[in-house]
Amino acid sequence: MDGKIKVMSWNINGIRTSKDSIKDLLHSFNCDVLCLQETKLTRDQLDEETAILDGVATICRNEFTPMAAEEGLSGVNYTFYANEKDVVGHYGDILDNWSKDELISLDSEGRSVVTKHRIKTHEGKDEFLTIINVYCPHASVENGDRLKYKFQFFELLKQRAQLLIDNDSHVIILGDLNAIHKEIDSAHTIEFTKGREWLDSLVISLPETGNFDEIPENSKTKFVDTFRHCHPLREEAFTCWCTKLGARTLNFGTRLDYILANVDFAQRTLDSSDIHPEIKGSDHCPVTAQFKCHPIASKTPFLCTKNWPEFAGKQQTLKSFFQKIDKTEKTNNSPLKKKQKTTTNQRTLSTFFKKQNRQETKNTESSSQSSQETKNRESSSQSSQETKNTDAADKWKNMFKKTTAPPFCSGHNEPSVLRTVKKSGANLGRQFYFSSQ
């Protein structure tokens, strides 16, 4: 994208439900950074090389690979990273103001990924942009412990974002915040909650005209709701619906998904922002924002999946151990051929400096005489060894030999029937017992 960076956030509610691969999603949306929440994805199911994976996933184009990346907000897992340059850093007094157990708990659910990027502004300046991809906890009013956890997560997110801004980095917070900011963002009546209070403390209230000139100068660490800045009066602009009630058809929902940018960055670069309810596949819809600056690619950090052994070509798969190999071809083409061992009576240099008793001297002198006898013994021992190997092979075969009597079916109390898979595929030729009924 020429001179612009496009970011997208989407609570996909299980990436396996999507018909498209991660790479296809990235290209179809034509975005530079795709941030997903609720991926419900494990490491063995990921097939992309440029993703930063946790419970949420951040996928970047090659032209905008991050220079550093972290899982979690607190920095409590700092020692996990191999290189200090791979870490986003700037934790301030977080580790002092929170107990270690609290920070481990807040980062234990895989709810955030932080990536740091390099950008070039239209003025030609190289600057830093940190993207915080979050899936904030949901908690009902009745669940006091979970509600406390949610607001602790909110506070940690706010504190880390402001520390990054104070250390000369622009910040974008995006994802499913599980909070409703204004009454216009919900189809039903909402009360003033702590979630709204937290958003009020984080997001600056712009005038209806969206004029940045009216923003107070002491709002450096505040954020702009990019969608509301671009569409201050748009009603029924929701991103989440209850699918069990079919509420999406009636557009009876809430706006829980946001792209927030710090005031200075939004004022200088924000170009557009929108929601996309036409994109189906989840109970949430994607939100996007474009910023007028140039992306700069960096060397992929340690956390990037491109550096994982399975993508870097360093790890063998289990399948490779069961592939047939032509022994003749392997022997002829192998650059390293085993040297045949030759039996010699040559003594090493070290033996000349060792004290030998008379018995050892006699043994050395008689070794040449007994060499012929040893060869005769070897020929007889080889034949006996072959016999032993044959007997051992027979014992192994008997150990794994199938029983002649089939097992009884637990449901009908009758002998089962042995079946063989005839359909082509990975199970072709395998046998199994099945009920005769």
Side-chain angles (χ1 to χ4, degrees), residues 354-370:
K354 292 181 180 178
K355 291 182 179 181
Q356 291 182 324
N357 55 34
R358 294 180 179 178
Q359 185 63 33
E360 289 176 342
T361 306
K362 290 180 181 180
N363 292 340
T364 305
E365 292 175 352
S366 61
S367 61
S368 59
Q369 298 177 1
S370 60

mmCIF file of all heavy atoms in Angstrom, residues 354-370:
data_model
loop_
_atom_site.group_PDB
_atom_site.id
_atom_site.type_symbol
_atom_site.label_atom_id
_atom_site.label_comp_id
_atom_site.label_asym_id
_atom_site.label_seq_id
_atom_site.Cartn_x
_atom_site.Cartn_y
_atom_site.Cartn_z
ATOM 1 N N LYS A 354 54.272 -46.452 28.456
ATOM 2 C CA LYS A 354 53.595 -47.111 29.558
ATOM 3 C C LYS A 354 54.435 -48.266 30.076
ATOM 4 O O LYS A 354 55.094 -48.964 29.289
ATOM 5 C CB LYS A 354 52.221 -47.649 29.116
ATOM 6 C CG LYS A 354 51.217 -46.554 28.808
ATOM 7 C CD LYS A 354 49.907 -47.178 28.413
ATOM 8 C CE LYS A 354 48.876 -46.104 28.109
ATOM 9 N NZ LYS A 354 47.589 -46.689 27.678
ATOM 10 N N LYS A 355 54.390 -48.445 31.398
ATOM 11 C CA LYS A 355 55.099 -49.578 31.983
ATOM 12 C C LYS A 355 54.295 -50.845 31.747
ATOM 13 O O LYS A 355 53.105 -50.894 31.988
ATOM 14 C CB LYS A 355 55.284 -49.348 33.490
ATOM 15 C CG LYS A 355 56.260 -48.220 33.807
ATOM 16 C CD LYS A 355 56.425 -48.095 35.308
ATOM 17 C CE LYS A 355 57.424 -46.988 35.648
ATOM 18 N NZ LYS A 355 57.619 -46.851 37.118
ATOM 19 N N GLN A 356 54.956 -51.869 31.255
ATOM 20 C CA GLN A 356 54.299 -53.141 30.997
ATOM 21 C C GLN A 356 54.895 -54.215 31.891
ATOM 22 O O GLN A 356 56.128 -54.297 32.034
ATOM 23 C CB GLN A 356 54.466 -53.558 29.540
ATOM 24 C CG GLN A 356 53.703 -52.691 28.551
ATOM 25 C CD GLN A 356 53.870 -53.197 27.138
ATOM 26 O OE1 GLN A 356 54.933 -53.690 26.763
ATOM 27 N NE2 GLN A 356 52.835 -53.076 26.352
ATOM 28 N N ASN A 357 54.044 -55.007 32.498
ATOM 29 C CA ASN A 357 54.574 -56.123 33.279
ATOM 30 C C ASN A 357 54.905 -57.286 32.354
ATOM 31 O O ASN A 357 54.606 -57.268 31.163
ATOM 32 C CB ASN A 357 53.557 -56.539 34.371
ATOM 33 C CG ASN A 357 52.198 -56.865 33.773
ATOM 34 O OD1 ASN A 357 52.129 -57.376 32.663
ATOM 35 N ND2 ASN A 357 51.131 -56.563 34.520
ATOM 36 N N ARG A 358 55.520 -58.251 32.907
ATOM 37 C CA ARG A 358 56.003 -59.381 32.091
ATOM 38 C C ARG A 358 54.845 -60.125 31.426
ATOM 39 O O ARG A 358 54.965 -60.590 30.296
ATOM 40 C CB ARG A 358 56.805 -60.338 32.971
ATOM 41 C CG ARG A 358 58.095 -59.706 33.491
ATOM 42 C CD ARG A 358 58.845 -60.701 34.344
ATOM 43 N NE ARG A 358 60.105 -60.116 34.825
ATOM 44 C CZ ARG A 358 60.952 -60.763 35.631
ATOM 45 N NH1 ARG A 358 60.664 -62.017 36.025
ATOM 46 N NH2 ARG A 358 62.052 -60.165 36.024
ATOM 47 N N GLN A 359 53.757 -60.231 32.163
ATOM 48 C CA GLN A 359 52.626 -60.965 31.612
ATOM 49 C C GLN A 359 52.086 -60.271 30.370
ATOM 50 O O GLN A 359 51.747 -60.911 29.385
ATOM 51 C CB GLN A 359 51.511 -61.083 32.677
ATOM 52 C CG GLN A 359 50.314 -61.940 32.236
ATOM 53 C CD GLN A 359 50.716 -63.381 31.988
ATOM 54 O OE1 GLN A 359 51.618 -63.913 32.648
ATOM 55 N NE2 GLN A 359 50.099 -64.034 31.013
ATOM 56 N N GLU A 360 51.987 -58.896 30.396
ATOM 57 C CA GLU A 360 51.515 -58.149 29.238
ATOM 58 C C GLU A 360 52.460 -58.311 28.062
ATOM 59 O O GLU A 360 52.041 -58.387 26.918
ATOM 60 C CB GLU A 360 51.390 -56.664 29.606
ATOM 61 C CG GLU A 360 50.243 -56.368 30.552
ATOM 62 C CD GLU A 360 50.223 -54.919 30.965
ATOM 63 O OE1 GLU A 360 51.261 -54.235 30.803
ATOM 64 O OE2 GLU A 360 49.166 -54.467 31.444
ATOM 65 N N THR A 361 53.811 -58.371 28.341
ATOM 66 C CA THR A 361 54.788 -58.551 27.262
ATOM 67 C C THR A 361 54.610 -59.903 26.581
ATOM 68 O O THR A 361 54.661 -60.029 25.359
ATOM 69 C CB THR A 361 56.219 -58.434 27.821
ATOM 70 O OG1 THR A 361 56.331 -57.206 28.524
ATOM 71 C CG2 THR A 361 57.247 -58.479 26.707
ATOM 72 N N LYS A 362 54.391 -60.937 27.415
ATOM 73 C CA LYS A 362 54.171 -62.276 26.846
ATOM 74 C C LYS A 362 52.915 -62.303 25.989
ATOM 75 O O LYS A 362 52.881 -62.918 24.933
ATOM 76 C CB LYS A 362 54.051 -63.303 27.981
ATOM 77 C CG LYS A 362 55.381 -63.547 28.692
ATOM 78 C CD LYS A 362 55.194 -64.575 29.796
ATOM 79 C CE LYS A 362 56.513 -64.820 30.539
ATOM 80 N NZ LYS A 362 56.348 -65.833 31.616
ATOM 81 N N ASN A 363 51.851 -61.591 26.466
ATOM 82 C CA ASN A 363 50.604 -61.561 25.698
ATOM 83 C C ASN A 363 50.803 -60.878 24.360
ATOM 84 O O ASN A 363 50.246 -61.291 23.344
ATOM 85 C CB ASN A 363 49.514 -60.837 26.494
ATOM 86 C CG ASN A 363 49.087 -61.631 27.717
ATOM 87 O OD1 ASN A 363 49.303 -62.843 27.784
ATOM 88 N ND2 ASN A 363 48.504 -60.937 28.703
ATOM 89 N N THR A 364 51.625 -59.791 24.342
ATOM 90 C CA THR A 364 51.881 -59.070 23.106
ATOM 91 C C THR A 364 52.648 -59.936 22.114
ATOM 92 O O THR A 364 52.370 -59.941 20.912
ATOM 93 C CB THR A 364 52.677 -57.786 23.397
ATOM 94 O OG1 THR A 364 51.977 -57.025 24.360
ATOM 95 C CG2 THR A 364 52.880 -56.971 22.131
ATOM 96 N N GLU A 365 53.630 -60.684 22.647
ATOM 97 C CA GLU A 365 54.437 -61.528 21.764
ATOM 98 C C GLU A 365 53.620 -62.668 21.193
ATOM 99 O O GLU A 365 53.858 -63.114 20.062
ATOM 100 C CB GLU A 365 55.631 -62.082 22.539
ATOM 101 C CG GLU A 365 56.654 -61.003 22.926
ATOM 102 C CD GLU A 365 57.764 -61.558 23.796
ATOM 103 O OE1 GLU A 365 57.634 -62.747 24.209
ATOM 104 O OE2 GLU A 365 58.725 -60.820 24.068
ATOM 105 N N SER A 366 52.657 -63.153 21.977
ATOM 106 C CA SER A 366 51.878 -64.306 21.517
ATOM 107 C C SER A 366 50.639 -63.901 20.706
ATOM 108 O O SER A 366 49.904 -64.746 20.228
ATOM 109 C CB SER A 366 51.433 -65.145 22.717
ATOM 110 O OG SER A 366 50.619 -64.358 23.566
ATOM 111 N N SER A 367 50.394 -62.542 20.593
ATOM 112 C CA SER A 367 49.184 -62.087 19.888
ATOM 113 C C SER A 367 49.221 -62.452 18.418
ATOM 114 O O SER A 367 48.200 -62.793 17.829
ATOM 115 C CB SER A 367 49.025 -60.576 20.052
ATOM 116 O OG SER A 367 50.151 -59.924 19.487
ATOM 117 N N SER A 368 50.403 -62.364 17.825
ATOM 118 C CA SER A 368 50.514 -62.703 16.395
ATOM 119 C C SER A 368 50.262 -64.175 16.155
ATOM 120 O O SER A 368 49.727 -64.571 15.108
ATOM 121 C CB SER A 368 51.899 -62.311 15.884
ATOM 122 O OG SER A 368 52.897 -62.996 16.618
ATOM 123 N N GLN A 369 50.644 -65.000 17.149
ATOM 124 C CA GLN A 369 50.449 -66.432 16.968
ATOM 125 C C GLN A 369 48.974 -66.813 17.077
ATOM 126 O O GLN A 369 48.521 -67.766 16.443
ATOM 127 C CB GLN A 369 51.252 -67.192 18.033
ATOM 128 C CG GLN A 369 52.771 -66.956 17.935
ATOM 129 C CD GLN A 369 53.527 -67.657 19.057
ATOM 130 O OE1 GLN A 369 52.909 -68.333 19.905
ATOM 131 N NE2 GLN A 369 54.849 -67.514 19.050
ATOM 132 N N SER A 370 48.253 -66.060 17.892
ATOM 133 C CA SER A 370 46.844 -66.422 18.112
ATOM 134 C C SER A 370 45.896 -65.730 17.130
ATOM 135 O O SER A 370 44.688 -65.909 17.211
ATOM 136 C CB SER A 370 46.434 -66.067 19.537
ATOM 137 O OG SER A 370 46.594 -64.680 19.733
#
